Amino acid sequence: MTDLTPITALGGTSARVQKFGALTISENTELGLASLSLRSGQTAPSPFGLILPDIGCSSAIEGFAAFWTATGQWMIEADGQADRDFAKALKSEAPQCSVTEQTDGFVAFEIESIDGAGPINDVMAKLVNIDPLGFDEGSALRTGLEHMSVFLVRRSAGHIAVIGMRTLADSLWHALSTAAARQNT
């Protein structure tokens, strides 16, 4: 029998974490993701007790979060659910909705600052075409970062998640770590 060893999106056996002064960038290998779409005429459910957010927003409760992706569509996040069938759990919470597993299609990088929003805002201002000062806690959007399309979710003043395609994990890590290293010098 073949021994299979799971690897992260960056090719390691454990999540990559790197510090850049006040900033820490970490690969979130434990995040379960599933998309949820309403069907015609359906009202928004409240899976796991989540209030599904409006345009440009995110919402969170203990262990779960959601961010708006399109009209009647959201990405649902679940801490510690990457190795489980999260889409099945979400489907049981919202049986009338269309649900698709997304965990292995995306990579999530968490950028945290011990000095509040300033260092994160400075790095993100160099990478994405948004006003980081107006991108407050509970904000979420899809934007371009270098040649990639990413979701940004502001978890708190000192914490932002960058969620991109798993196939571009190395390029995304390189862009984030290079900008953070340059900011720190």
Side-chain angles (χ1 to χ4, degrees):
M1 181 184 295
T2 304
D3 271 338
L4 299 177
T5 304
I7 60 172
T8 71
L10 292 173
T13 55
S14 61
R16 186 178 301 177
V17 177
Q18 193 168 356
K19 292 186 180 292
F20 303 91
L23 291 177
T24 301
I25 303 175
S26 58
E27 182 182 14
N28 186 346
T29 60
E30 300 299 317
L31 188 65
L33 293 169
S35 61
L36 182 141
S37 300
L38 300 180
R39 294 184 179 160
S40 182
Q42 186 179 10
T43 59
S46 296
F48 311 109
L50 279 168
I51 304 297
L52 297 176
D54 288 329
I55 298 169
C57 295
S58 67
S59 62
I61 60 168
E62 187 72 32
F64 298 97
F67 57 90
W68 184 89
T69 57
T71 302
Q73 298 178 25
W74 297 266
M75 186 75 78
I76 311 299
E77 303 175 86
D79 294 335
Q81 299 290 316
D83 61 348
R84 295 181 178 87
D85 189 352
F86 177 56
K88 182 178 179 182
L90 179 58
K91 184 69 174 174
S92 70
E93 291 281 319
Q96 301 305 314
C97 294
S98 297
V99 174
T100 307
E101 180 65 45
Q102 299 292 330
T103 302
D104 287 337
F106 288 89
V107 62
F109 295 120
E110 309 288 341
I111 305 173
E112 297 179 78
S113 171
I114 59 173
D115 290 342
I120 292 175
N121 289 347
D122 293 343
V123 167
M124 296 313 292
K126 295 177 186 294
L127 292 171
V128 294
N129 189 20
I130 63 166
D131 175 10
L133 298 176
F135 195 66
D136 299 323
E137 181 176 349
S139 296
L141 58 78
R142 186 173 205 157
T143 189
L145 190 153
E146 291 194 358
H147 63 283
M148 300 163 281
S149 178
V150 297
F151 293 105
L152 303 178
V153 181
R154 190 62 167 250
R155 300 197 191 286
S156 70
H159 185 180
I160 193 168
V162 180
I163 301 171
M165 299 302 296
R166 185 180 177 96
T167 56
L168 299 174
D170 285 322
S171 296
L172 185 53
W173 180 270
H174 177 74
L176 295 171
S177 62
T178 299
R182 287 181 180 154
Q183 187 65 31
N184 195 42
T185 58

